[in-house]
Amino acid sequence: HPPPKVASRVLTFVRKSVAHSLASEKYLAFVKASFAQQRKYLKKNLSALYLEENILSAFKELGISPQARPGDISVELYGNLYKLLAV
């Protein structure tokens, strides 16, 4: 007594479909390397897997700042960045 004044909601999550090429082990390794050290620049994290000039070229093509951190770019940009670097 008295009944609580509580507002409640039910959330439903719908999983987005992922392109087959982005569900690979290589893509997961790419994402893991990207977020290895979140306070560092993304460019520095990716340099463990790719040459710096390739990273900077892909960043320029996609309009990503060289000072971007892992959490600064969208999921779609990660997919596009992977496709450019994995070639």
Side-chain angles (χ1 to χ4, degrees):
H1 301 131
K5 295 179 181 177
V6 177
S8 62
R9 301 206 192 298
V10 176
L11 299 176
T12 304
F13 294 96
V14 178
R15 178 173 258 186
K16 290 183 178 180
S17 63
V18 178
H20 179 65
S21 64
L22 298 182
S24 70
E25 293 294 322
K26 289 182 181 181
Y27 180 68
L28 295 177
F30 167 79
V31 172
K32 186 175 180 178
S34 297
F35 284 91
Q37 296 178 336
Q38 293 185 28
R39 299 298 304 148
K40 299 245 184 218
Y41 292 140
L42 179 60
K43 175 184 73 165
K44 175 72 173 165
N45 290 343
L46 292 176
S47 66
L49 299 176
Y50 306 102
L51 296 174
E52 186 171 347
E53 48 276 354
N54 293 348
I55 297 168
L56 291 174
S57 173
F59 277 20
K60 186 175 182 179
E61 186 172 330
L62 295 172
I64 300 171
S65 168
Q67 287 80 30
R69 300 197 188 274
D72 292 345
I73 65 172
S74 69
V75 175
E76 291 81 17
L77 271 179
Y78 269 107
N80 293 337
L81 182 59
Y82 174 72
K83 288 175 186 174
L84 285 176
L85 291 174
V87 173

